[in-house]
């Protein structure tokens, strides 16, 4: 690896700012190329981040050949994730790619196989894992205070008037948003999906064309159950983007509002009709490198490349979260419970 890590960025739209800010704050990274089908988008980012030396390009393959980066930051749209990632892996790059890993399971498998064959790291920007609040929830679960986790319920309700492509998109809630919530459920439960029964619908008065609301019940490995209720077309009493959570274990329950609101009760005494419960403090999570969403995950990815550690959101693991998304869509279409076959490798 060269003294400064040579990084190309593909896709210079909205989310690329969340990548370029932490990337440009590091002294061990050099952005050698900014690529976008819309040249003006790449030029805009170059001006904003004083990247005058970076190649501005519209063709990724050509830019990779000319600038020989070691890493691709992939901020393109979901349907472009597969061809752009495959092109970069072919050139020997490690890739950190925006969520979702891919638009289909078969494309996701192709990307995994290509990374394995190239011996390169492919990981996903599942930034909510690097939020300090979810780290706090997980640390509390891992402390054993709740006993074994049996059941997790999440609710996501936001009346989001985006306008644009989402208003027309099929499976808009599950495809574009629930990947975050499903991945958070796996992270909190330490379990993978086995089956799902899901229903999608468009509520009366919806400003979306279709599929703005969904419910899903997942059977997880180890016999636990995770349920999802969500809507992007729900006016009033909105939840946080991180969803609100009820996490039930054999010894108690944690309520987490998705932000800094935590309330836990654990069993103090059994024997009566209801057990006697006692409030249980949820310790603050010690500040550390995990904090900071996009910045935290990007910095961790770089450290992984330097040390050889496998990133937590490596595609080989993240594909389980994607399988929840595509399993839920399959179930809703079939109107019945479906198996989620765990991806190999
Ligand atoms: N992690 C998060 O919280 C989060 C938030 C928003 C968006 N995203 C994800 O980030 C990705 C980009 O979203 P966005 O909001 O920035 O979209 P955007 O439309 O603002 O930007 C995407 C850019 O990619 C460019 N592009 C598309 N195909 C390309 C290709 N083959 N080569 C080069 N450039 C290409 C487009 O021209 C566009 O400028 C999506 O996968 C989205 O799901 C993640």
């Amino acid at each position: 690896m060269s003294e400064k890590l040579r990084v190309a960025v593909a896709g210079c739209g909205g989310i690329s700012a969340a990548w370029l800010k932490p990337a440009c704050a590091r002294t061990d990274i050099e952005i050698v190329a900014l690529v976008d089908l819309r040249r003006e988008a790449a030029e805009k980012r170059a001006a904003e981040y004083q990247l005058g030396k970076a190649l501005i390009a519209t063709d990724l393959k050509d830019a990779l050949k000319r600038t020989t980066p070691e890493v691709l930051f992939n901020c393109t749209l979901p349907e472009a994730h597969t061809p752009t990632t495959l092109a970069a892996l072919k050139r020997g790059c490690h890739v950190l790619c925006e969520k979702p890993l891919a638009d289909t399971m078969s494309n996701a498998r192709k990307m995994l196989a290509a990374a394995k064959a190239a011996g390169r790291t492919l990981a996903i920007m599942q930034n909510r894992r690097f939020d300090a609040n979810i780290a706090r929830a997980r640390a509390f679960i891992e402390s054993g205070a709740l006993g074994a986790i049996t059941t997790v319920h999440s609710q996501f309700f936001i009346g989001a008037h985006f306008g644009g492509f989402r208003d027309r998109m099929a499976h808009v809630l599950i495809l574009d948003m629930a990947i975050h919530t499903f991945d958070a459920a796996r992270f909190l439960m330490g379990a993978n999906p086995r089956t799902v029964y899901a229903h999608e619908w468009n509520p009366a008065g919806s400003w979306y064309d279709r599929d703005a609301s969904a419910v899903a019940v997942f059977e997880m490995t180890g016999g636990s159950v995770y349920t999802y209720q969500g809507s992007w077309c729900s006016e009033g009493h909105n939840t946080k983007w991180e969803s609100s959570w009820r996490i039930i274990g054999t010894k108690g329950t944690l309520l987490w509002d998705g932000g800094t609101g935590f309330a836990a009760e654990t069993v103090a005494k059994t024997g009566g009709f209801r057990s006697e419960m006692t409030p249980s403090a949820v310790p603050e999570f010690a500040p550390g490198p995990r904090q900071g969403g996009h910045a935290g995950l990007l910095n961790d990815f770089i450290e992984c490349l330097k040390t050889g550690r496998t990133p937590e959101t490596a595609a080989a693991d993240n594909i389980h979260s994607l399988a929840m998304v595509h399993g839920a869509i399959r179930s809703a279409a079939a109107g019945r419970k479906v198996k989620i076959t765990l991806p190999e490798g």
Side-chain angles (χ1 to χ4, degrees):
M1 204 175 279
S2 50
E3 205 175 303
K4 279 199 176 200
L5 205 56
R6 299 169 61 76
V7 176
V9 178
C12 297
I15 204 63
S16 65
W19 292 60
L20 283 166
K21 195 172 171 212
C24 292
R26 293 186 69 106
T27 53
D28 56 356
I29 280 184
E30 184 185 356
I31 305 290
V32 295
L34 290 164
V35 186
D36 199 294
L37 300 177
R38 299 179 298 121
R39 190 178 175 84
E40 65 279 12
E43 283 169 345
K44 184 166 173 267
R45 290 294 184 230
E48 283 166 353
Y49 292 92
Q50 288 91 49
L51 296 170
K53 284 192 196 156
L55 175 76
I56 305 295
T58 54
D59 182 310
L60 178 64
K61 281 186 185 166
D62 183 55
L64 293 170
K65 200 170 164 188
R66 286 168 63 188
T67 58
T68 60
E70 294 153 290
V71 176
L72 176 71
F73 287 166
N74 193 342
C75 304
T76 61
L77 293 173
E79 60 270 25
H81 287 176
T82 304
T84 46
T85 296
L86 293 181
L89 289 168
K90 201 170 171 188
R91 281 266 153 203
C93 295
H94 303 283
V95 181
L96 182 58
C97 181
E98 258 301 346
K99 65 82 189 162
L101 166 58
D103 52 353
T104 65
M105 288 304 289
S106 82
N107 274 342
R109 288 193 183 96
K110 269 186 214 158
M111 290 160 76
L112 254 69
K116 200 171 173 183
R120 291 294 181 269
T121 301
L122 169 60
I124 306 306
M125 179 54 81
Q126 207 72 69
N127 48 304
R128 284 186 167 78
R129 283 200 177 212
F130 278 67
D131 169 61
N133 296 317
I134 198 169
R136 184 175 170 187
R138 176 152 137 159
F140 185 69
I141 292 166
E142 282 184 334
S143 75
L146 299 174
I149 302 304
T150 66
T151 316
V152 171
H153 301 290
S154 69
Q155 294 191 318
F156 175 88
F157 292 105
I158 293 197
H161 295 260
F162 292 103
F165 73 94
R166 289 187 181 84
D167 288 3
R168 312 274 86 85
M169 190 176 164
H171 319 294
V172 61
L173 178 74
I174 291 183
L175 259 186
D176 201 53
M177 186 63 217
I179 181 73
H180 283 300
T181 322
F182 294 172
D183 184 70
R186 286 186 55 234
F187 180 62
L188 290 168
M189 300 173 80
N192 282 325
R194 303 309 306 261
T195 71
V196 58
Y197 176 57
H199 179 65
E200 289 178 293
W201 74 101
N202 207 28
S206 174
W207 53 92
Y208 293 82
D209 279 358
R210 50 192 294 185
D211 309 330
S213 296
V215 294
V217 180
F218 293 90
E219 290 174 300
M220 306 293 282
T221 47
S224 54
V225 170
Y226 163 58
T227 76
Y228 172 86
Q229 298 175 308
S231 180
W232 248 346
C233 181
S234 170
E235 302 284 44
H237 285 299
N238 282 182
T239 62
K240 299 212 177 340
W241 284 90
E242 286 72 20
S243 302
S244 70
W245 298 78
R246 176 179 287 262
I247 297 157
I248 306 170
T250 49
K251 292 193 214 159
T253 290
L254 168 66
L255 300 181
W256 172 42
D257 72 357
T260 54
F262 290 88
E265 279 187 339
T266 51
V267 174
K269 193 176 165 201
T270 56
F273 176 67
R274 290 195 207 192
S275 299
E276 277 177 32
M277 306 302 292
T278 184
S280 190
V282 179
E284 297 261 352
F285 190 73
R290 279 200 72 86
Q291 293 202 36
H294 273 79
L297 195 151
L298 184 145
N299 287 329
D300 188 65
F301 178 77
I302 301 297
E303 293 315 309
C304 285
L305 294 186
K306 288 183 173 178
T307 60
R309 175 165 56 84
T310 302
E312 185 178 308
T313 62
D317 181 81
N318 189 264
I319 196 169
H320 293 271
S321 302
L322 193 73
M324 292 173 83
V325 167
H326 290 289
I329 290 170
R330 265 192 300 126
S331 166
R336 61 177 168 77
K337 181 161 106 174
V338 299
K339 275 192 180 166
I340 297 177
T341 311
L342 297 185
E344 292 162 19

